[in-house]
Structure formats: C-alpha cells, structure tokens
Amino acid sequence: MSEESATLDAVLIDQSQGNFAYPEDYELDAGRGLGPSTLDYISEVKGEDQWIRDFRHRALEVFERKPMPTHWASRELDEIKFQDIRYYLAKGKRPTRSWDEVPDDVKKTFERLGIPERERGFLAGVEAQFDSEAAYSNIKEEFDKQGVIFVNSSEGLREHPEIFRRWFGKVIPTGDNKFSALNSAVFSGGSFIYVPPGVKVKHPLQAYFRINAEQFGQFERTLIIVDEGAEVMYMEGCTAPKFETATLHSAVVELVAMPHAKIQYITVQNWSSNVFNLVTKRGLAHEGAEIRWIDCNIGSRLTMKYPGVIMKGRKARGEVISIALANTGQHQDTGAKMIHAADETTSNIVSKSISMGEGRATYRGQVHIPKHLKGCRNNTECDALLINSRSRTDTYPAITVRGNRHATQHEASVSQVSEEQIFYMRQRGLTEAAAMSLSVNGFVNDLVREFPMEYSVELKRLIDLEMEGSVG
Amino acid sequence: MDCLEIKDLTVAIQGQRILDGLSLVVPKGEVHAIMGPNGSGKSTLAKVLAGHEDYEVLSGQVLMDGQDLLQMEVDQRSRAGFFLAFQYPYEIPGVSNANFLREAVRARLGSGEDLDAVAFYKRLYGLMDELGIDRKFTARSVNEGFSGGEKKRNEILQMAILEPFYAVLDETDSGLDIDALRVVAEGVNRMRSPHRGFLLITHYQRLLNYIEPDFIHVLAGGKIVRTGGKELALELEETGYDWIKEGALATA
C-alpha cells in the first residue's frame, strides 16, 4: 500500500508549491558584500570565541586566493557576483523550543512546504532552519536520555566545544575548494549531531530549511559525529521560493563515523531554477564503519555536488546513491568521490540522471584505490535518461586503481523514453505528461526505494512537478 | 449510433497508401473478425484507430458512438472507451503492473473522485485468477521479462480492468501455444456483452475456434473485399488467401 499512497499523492500536486515568498523582515542583516567586517558581524551576533573568529578570517583569505574552478567546471560560475550577496540574515530571535513559539509566518511556510501534519507533530525531534537561524529546535526527551546531541551548529560550537572542535574542518579542510573556504568564512546554521557509542537512533533526524531572501546566500555547516557502534539517519530537504536573480547556496557537510558506526545522510533537494548550489559533502569512515549518501537533486541553476567517503579503517564501506533531474536552464553536475585508504574497503556508486528540455546532467566520479592496499572493491553504475534530443548528458568517471588485488566494475548507460512506449501508455488512457512521468519514475524507481517513505512520496511528486510542461 | 463506424478510410505511411477506402461497422454486442494476408493493412487499421502518429489519414472518418474518433488524442480515445490489445506490447521498466493499471483506471475518474484501492485490488486479483496470471505479476514491471504468452494475457487483463466499449485485438493469437490461446479466448468470451463490440485481427483461423465471431471480413489491398459468417474462416483455412490476390488482380 505504500506505493499506493505514493502515486495518489503524485497526482494531488499543488503546482504553486515552492513558488512564493513572504515579505522580508530581518532583525539582523550583515548587508551586501563580503569582507573581514562581514565575518566580524556574524561572529559578533553569535557571540563566538576567538578561535572560530580566527578560523573565519583565515578561511576568507583562502577563499580570496583560490581561483574559480572554471578550468574544469562550468563557466556559469563566473556569473556569481560575490559582492552582491548578503551573507547573514536572521530573525534575531533565539531558537524557540515549542511549536507555539514559532512565528506565524514561519509556520505558514511550513504549511506551504506541505510538511505532513504528523511530521509537524514530530518536529519535536526536528531542527527546522528558517534562513540562517533555527526558527525552531527542540530535542526530544529520548535523545537527552541517550545522550544524543542534535542542535544547530552555533549552539554546538557554544555548548559542546570539546567534541565540535575536535572534528570541525577535519574531514573537509577550509582549503579543499573555493566554496568550502567561502563556507568556512561565513557559515551559519546547519546541524551539529553527536551520537554516543552504541546508541542506535530510531527516528531519522530531520532538518527543513529554505532560502527566503533575495540575493541571500545560505551557508550552513553540518557536522555529524557518530561514535563507536552507533547509528543515525539524517534527512535534509530543501525548497526555495522563486526569485528573479540568482541566489547562492554553499554548504559544507562533514560526517565522522567512528569504528563500526553507521551514518545515512539523505537529501532531497528542490531548488528554484536561479539558485547556485555548490556543496561540499564528505564523510570519514573508520574501521568497519558505513557511510551512505542518498542524494536527490532537482532544480537549481547549477548544482555541483560530489558526496565523498574516505574509508580510513579496514572494512569500511562507502556508498553514494544519487538521482539528478535537470530541466531547461538547469545544470546538474553531480557525482561521487570514493577514497579507499585501508584494506578490504568497499564502495558503491549508483547514479541516475534525467535530462529534459535543454537540461544538462553531468556525472563526475572519482574512485581512488592506492597500490599498497589489498582486497578493495568498487562498483560504479551510472545511467542517464534523455527526454528529448536537445538535452545533454556527460559522464566523466575517473577510477584510479593501482595494484592488482582489487575488484572494480563500472557500467554506464544512456537511454531515451521511446515514443512507442509513450504511445502504449497513452492508449491505456494516460495523458502524455502522465505517461512520461510514469516512465521517468520507473527509471529511478529502484533508487527511490532507498529513500524513507515520506521522501519517496515527495520525490515522485517533485519529479511529476518537473515533468509538467516539459512535454510536447 | 451504438457502433464503431469506419467510413471510406484511406491511410498512408511515409507516402505509401496502406488503407484504401476501407469501410466497416462494428455494432455493440457483436464480434467481428478481420482476416487477410500479411501486408494487407490489418495492423495499420489497428494503429490508426488508436491514433498512432506515424499514419496519415488522407480521407474518411471513424465514428465511435457518433463521436469523431480521428479528432481525438490517443489518450482521449482510450478514456472514451476504445481499447487496442497490441500485437507487440511494450515494456515499461521500473513501472509495476499494478501501478500502471491503477494509473490507467485513475485516468478515468472524474475530478474529485478517488480510487478505492481496496476494491481495485479485489477486482484486479479476481481477474488475474480468471486469466491464470500469478498475483506476483502485480509487482513486476509492465511486460518486462514476460514471455509472449504472458504479454498477451497481460493485454487481456488490461482490457478486462478498463472495460472498453470497443476493443481491437491485433494478432492476439500470434505466438501463443494452445493453452495460452484458450485462456486468452476465455478472457475475451467472458467480456462479450451487449454493451461491447470486438474487432479481432488475425491471420489464422485458429483463434476463431475459440472466439466465435458474428462476422468475418477479408481485408486485401487496403479494403474489405469479402464479408461473411463464421464459416468464411473455414473456407479461408482451406483455400488460403491466394484467390484474393488473383481476384484483386482481376478487378484491378
């Protein structure tokens, strides 16, 4: 019956969803442009310690020094005007603890986002981010008892410096790339999670956030540390209202899985088509640990995102499962990075992309297995579906395997929705759009099953929404 | 009014004329069979009625209960009650049979109406049992990895679920062994009703042993050259289609 409700929901879609904005009313605003004073403003508002202030300033220097990666990536990056962006905006209120305290317009946004009632009820365990600052955050009692920490990153910095500082910036160093440096300089918001040894968190932890201010870059910073033998699933979902001018989103997400820990990080992303979404996500897996990135990218002007896993301990496992959908005016440049750094480590990459209209999907994969290791395995599958002849797909797999004691396999395919297939479905009464939507959903179906129920519903809905008007 | 009426239909594909002034009336409650040699335009007729884009209608008209069928979109025709059982059913990877059928049924609901899932599955399972289709097939992708016989049975299942007013079965008997043929025929026979008309397209007389038609038409050179009762099939079985070619040549 799960599939049943999923498809039922797919038809009850509200097309205007996500396409709206509320009047801006921010108490705290760092203004447009980027400079040392921008960082000071953010640190001041947040009451940050000296070490993090220094960290931000060093990061800004790195950012300014690093060139745009346009030599290999898209020229579209040159269109980002860093001096026009506002780097920090907030309502200025402390994160509220009960639903009643959440401002009405924020509640309205949640309603428009279609967050199910039961989930709003479950918001007790949710940190919901409204622009930079958590509008609502409340840890369930259960988590407190287990010693699970789930707060926004500012609070994590303030309240748990001993854990935070140990791992912050260690998986993804400031200088990893230009955008990780930018994030390191101006980050605000994001989640900090710590799960103590042996604790298996039953409920998925969720964060909803959205961008609601024109020209406002969102730079959240998430750090998740899961201690020995512990398990957690984290879900993030994004929608953004549609604006005329480009907005920049550049997050950094660091995961640390201690020996035999398991982390699943799930993203369903639906940006409006003017958003630049340049995200750095990486996990560090110790011995016997498992990190899975499950990632769905829909919308945005340009997305560049290559979740990675560094398998540092023996028998560590890394997995990236991704779905990308690029419509006209959109470019999804996504992929995965798997760095094998210990014996008997295993990685799996399954990527499916759909290009429609003049949409463009690019897969970039990097698998690295050095010579001195043995018994490492990688499996890479990338499938691309083209909806019409104007769409474009590229695959750049880079699999570096040294030594002969490893097993790797790589499969890639490009297919098209055939006219005969659509004709067949229409003969059964489905409209052309519905037929197209169903075939596309069929193409990604095996991956959609990897998402938790409510996300797979949302995903099908988003795909249907994207398919509307792209036919004919 | 209550009939599928094909009037003087002339159709071409890539400039080549396939149907040439074909006329035929299938009233509700009757089963008509079209027989004819390969290349006589049988499958073209099926595709044109369904609205396939590759075919160009040069002249003529098709009325379904008075509605101008050729003016309707492919999916509109289906929802209005026209069904085509495909000679070669297509595969839809990743889309389960149940999901596909549900979407097809839902496409027929009015706005505000919702599918009663429990009733739907009850009906679906009942029909599957009748057609000897394993219930596990609901979870399998549409036609993917199906044998020829399974695909044809699946077409009949779709027809049974959608309950069309007019159904065209394009060479449904081809590639079926005798058991599968019997199951398919039973499925069709159960659906015979005063409210439904059938047009069976077949090359062989064999199918008509199991589904007894009211009328048989012989298609050759893009038009109906002969019409008769069910005994015509037996005659064709004995004489083959060679006489038509000679006859057609003679009148040409």
Side-chain angles (χ1 to χ4, degrees):
Chain A
M1 290 307 287
S2 61
E3 198 189 29
E4 173 71 26
S5 53
T7 22
L8 287 178
D9 284 352
V11 162
L12 304 171
I13 182 91
D14 169 14
Q15 266 207 277
S16 58
Q17 198 173 17
N19 187 12
F20 67 98
Y22 289 98
E24 293 169 32
D25 168 27
Y26 297 96
E27 283 176 30
L28 302 169
D29 182 349
R32 284 175 203 273
L34 181 60
S37 61
T38 320
L39 316 189
D40 291 338
Y41 182 89
I42 297 171
S43 291
E44 212 52 54
V45 168
K46 291 176 173 290
E48 289 175 337
D49 287 344
Q50 193 57 43
W51 76 270
I52 199 78
R53 291 171 188 248
D54 294 342
F55 180 92
R56 288 183 187 275
H57 281 276
R58 276 197 307 273
L60 181 62
E61 285 166 27
V62 175
F63 168 73
E64 284 170 346
R65 217 169 43 232
K66 280 209 173 266
M68 272 292 188
T70 44
H71 60 291
W72 63 273
S74 174
R75 291 246 155 243
E76 292 160 81
L77 288 173
D78 285 336
E79 289 167 38
I80 303 171
K81 301 275 174 282
F82 291 103
Q83 291 308 324
D84 291 347
I85 291 167
R86 290 148 85 182
Y87 288 86
Y88 184 77
L89 286 173
K91 292 263 173 194
K93 291 177 185 132
R94 289 267 148 202
T96 42
R97 287 259 162 198
S98 87
W99 183 242
D100 289 340
E101 291 171 60
V102 175
D104 282 345
D105 60 337
V106 175
K107 282 185 192 168
K108 244 193 287 175
T109 299
F110 279 122
E111 263 164 53
R112 287 298 302 268
L113 280 171
I115 297 169
E117 203 70 50
R118 65 187 153 79
E119 257 176 62
R120 281 183 233 166
F122 187 63
L123 276 169
V126 168
E127 173 179 79
Q129 180 174 340
F130 186 79
D131 289 349
S132 328
E133 211 56 66
Y136 179 86
S137 86
N138 190 356
I139 306 271
K140 286 187 89 179
E141 257 177 60
E142 189 187 337
F143 295 163
D144 283 340
K145 261 185 259 163
Q146 294 174 321
V148 174
I149 300 166
F150 179 23
V151 293
N152 69 47
S153 61
S154 303
E155 199 177 329
L157 249 169
R158 214 167 39 237
E159 310 291 332
H160 309 279
E162 69 294 344
I163 318 173
F164 197 96
R165 209 173 159 172
R166 183 175 166 207
W167 293 109
F168 180 68
K170 298 297 190 316
V171 185
I172 302 171
T174 297
D176 187 83
N177 63 74
K178 191 170 178 73
F179 294 97
S180 64
L182 177 64
N183 177 282
S184 299
V186 297
F187 75 91
S188 64
S191 299
F192 171 70
I193 295 171
Y194 172 75
V195 185
V199 174
K200 295 181 164 73
V201 181
K202 272 182 245 142
H203 303 292
L205 304 180
Q206 308 184 33
Y208 284 88
F209 58 92
R210 54 184 295 110
I211 298 174
N212 199 33
E214 194 179 355
Q215 290 289 75
F216 164 44
Q218 187 155 355
F219 305 93
E220 84 275 11
R221 182 94 190 192
T222 290
L223 175 59
I224 301 177
I225 298 138
V226 180
D227 222 322
E228 266 194 75
E231 292 177 15
V232 76
M233 182 194 275
Y234 182 79
M235 314 203 294
E236 67 172 354
C238 330
T239 64
K242 290 185 177 166
F243 286 117
E244 291 302 313
T245 48
T247 37
L248 174 62
H249 176 257
S250 187
V252 166
V253 178
E254 296 176 285
L255 310 182
V256 179
M258 298 307 280
H260 308 287
K262 279 186 185 172
I263 304 177
Q264 280 199 70
Y265 193 105
I266 296 161
T267 308
V268 171
Q269 200 178 51
N270 178 28
W271 299 112
S272 63
S273 51
N274 53 4
V275 170
F276 282 88
N277 180 41
L278 313 163
V279 177
T280 311
K281 287 179 165 176
R282 198 170 303 151
L284 182 65
H286 290 89
E287 183 171 341
E290 182 182 297
I291 291 178
R292 296 181 87 200
W293 296 100
I294 301 177
D295 211 281
C296 178
N297 304 291
I298 294 176
S300 85
R301 165 89 188 276
L302 170 67
T303 286
M304 291 172 69
K305 177 158 63 168
Y306 323 96
V309 182
I310 302 164
M311 287 149 280
K312 197 188 172 198
R314 209 178 127 257
K315 291 199 171 179
R317 294 181 301 279
E319 188 165 25
V320 173
I321 287 172
S322 75
I323 298 172
L325 199 152
N327 217 328
T328 300
Q330 300 173 351
H331 183 181
Q332 296 280 359
D333 196 318
T334 60
K337 274 185 191 173
M338 291 296 182
I339 310 299
H340 292 254
D343 291 342
E344 295 172 73
T345 45
T346 312
S347 61
N348 186 35
I349 302 168
V350 185
S351 155
K352 292 204 178 191
S353 70
I354 300 148
S355 315
M356 297 182 297
E358 281 153 31
R360 185 175 165 197
T362 305
Y363 168 84
R364 281 177 220 276
Q366 191 191 342
V367 177
H368 182 74
I369 304 178
K371 192 174 181 179
H372 66 276
L373 299 180
K374 60 175 192 291
C376 298
R377 281 184 307 187
N378 166 261
N379 175 56
T380 301
E381 291 169 41
C382 12
D383 299 318
L385 185 71
L386 300 175
I387 302 292
N388 66 43
S389 52
R390 285 173 302 160
S391 46
R392 176 173 167 189
T393 186
D394 309 282
T395 301
Y396 305 101
I399 302 179
T400 320
V401 183
R402 301 218 158 81
N404 52 9
R405 294 172 294 180
H406 310 291
T408 57
Q409 68 181 42
H410 177 247
E411 282 173 37
S413 76
V414 178
S415 49
Q416 269 181 313
V417 174
S418 83
E419 280 178 28
E420 294 299 329
Q421 197 184 60
I422 297 297
F423 175 67
Y424 182 64
M425 294 164 100
R426 291 182 74 196
Q427 208 302 304
R428 298 307 184 241
L430 275 66
T431 60
E432 192 174 5
M436 200 64 111
S437 211
L438 202 58
S439 335
V440 170
N441 271 308
F443 173 72
V444 295
N445 202 15
D446 52 338
L447 294 195
V448 170
R449 283 195 203 116
E450 298 287 335
F451 288 80
M453 184 50 210
E454 61 265 46
Y455 268 31
S456 62
V457 171
E458 193 176 335
L459 238 162
K460 288 189 179 190
R461 218 191 278 172
L462 289 175
I463 290 173
D464 286 349
L465 191 61
E466 278 297 312
M467 298 301 301
E468 301 261 349
S470 66
V471 176
Chain B
M1 274 290 270
D2 273 3
C3 61
L4 182 68
E5 187 177 9
I6 303 164
K7 289 198 254 188
D8 202 21
L9 189 64
T10 298
V11 173
I13 183 164
Q14 290 168 339
Q16 195 189 343
R17 209 172 266 220
I18 308 288
L19 296 182
D20 194 5
L22 186 145
S23 293
L24 180 66
V25 178
V26 180
K28 274 183 182 165
E30 292 183 5
V31 175
H32 289 235
I34 287 194
M35 301 184 72
N38 292 329
S40 58
K42 301 194 297 292
S43 284
T44 295
L45 177 61
K47 292 263 176 78
V48 168
L49 293 177
H52 198 288
E53 280 184 0
D54 288 355
Y55 300 89
E56 192 191 350
V57 176
L58 299 177
S59 63
Q61 206 182 18
V62 179
L63 297 175
M64 184 167 82
D65 296 343
Q67 282 176 283
D68 190 342
L69 198 70
L70 300 182
Q71 293 305 311
M72 296 158 80
E73 291 290 330
V74 178
D75 46 299
Q76 280 180 316
R77 297 181 197 201
S78 167
R79 293 194 298 273
F82 177 83
F83 184 89
L84 170 63
F86 283 65
Q87 183 177 6
Y88 304 109
Y90 289 94
E91 298 178 358
I92 313 171
V95 177
S96 74
N97 247 333
N99 198 1
F100 182 52
L101 287 170
R102 226 171 29 224
E103 290 300 317
V105 170
R106 271 236 319 274
R108 287 159 168 78
L109 298 176
S111 61
E113 270 185 286
D114 217 336
L115 185 82
D116 178 344
V118 177
F120 169 80
Y121 274 100
K122 204 176 157 192
R123 208 173 130 235
L124 175 62
Y125 286 144
L127 290 166
M128 290 178 85
D129 291 348
E130 283 179 14
L131 287 163
I133 299 174
D134 193 320
R135 289 186 181 191
K136 287 193 196 106
F137 273 58
T138 49
R140 284 179 55 180
S141 293
V142 179
N143 295 325
E144 203 179 36
F146 285 27
S147 71
E150 286 167 346
K151 282 184 183 173
K152 294 299 172 75
R153 263 186 279 180
N154 209 26
E155 292 293 287
I156 303 302
L157 175 65
Q158 292 177 17
M159 177 171 75
I161 283 276
L162 298 178
E163 299 182 306
F165 297 129
Y166 298 95
V168 175
L169 280 66
D170 188 10
E171 307 258 4
T172 297
D173 52 330
S174 68
L176 291 188
D177 62 34
I178 202 74
D179 292 329
L181 183 66
R182 193 174 288 132
V183 172
V184 164
E186 277 169 17
V188 173
N189 286 331
R190 257 195 304 272
M191 288 192 69
R192 290 180 81 151
S193 118
H195 308 293
R196 188 168 293 126
F198 284 94
L199 185 60
L200 311 178
I201 293 175
T202 180
H203 186 77
Y204 301 104
Q205 177 264 344
R206 194 175 68 145
L207 177 70
L208 307 181
N209 289 338
Y210 298 95
I211 307 171
E212 203 173 284
D214 298 298
F215 294 94
I216 291 175
H217 310 276
V218 179
L219 179 62
K223 61 180 83 165
I224 304 295
V225 293
R226 207 176 148 192
T227 293
K230 60 187 181 224
E231 66 287 344
L232 182 54
L234 293 169
E235 187 188 320
L236 288 170
E237 189 76 353
E238 279 174 29
T239 59
Y241 292 111
D242 287 348
W243 60 272
I244 296 169
K245 287 176 190 158
E246 287 160 20
L249 282 175
T251 54

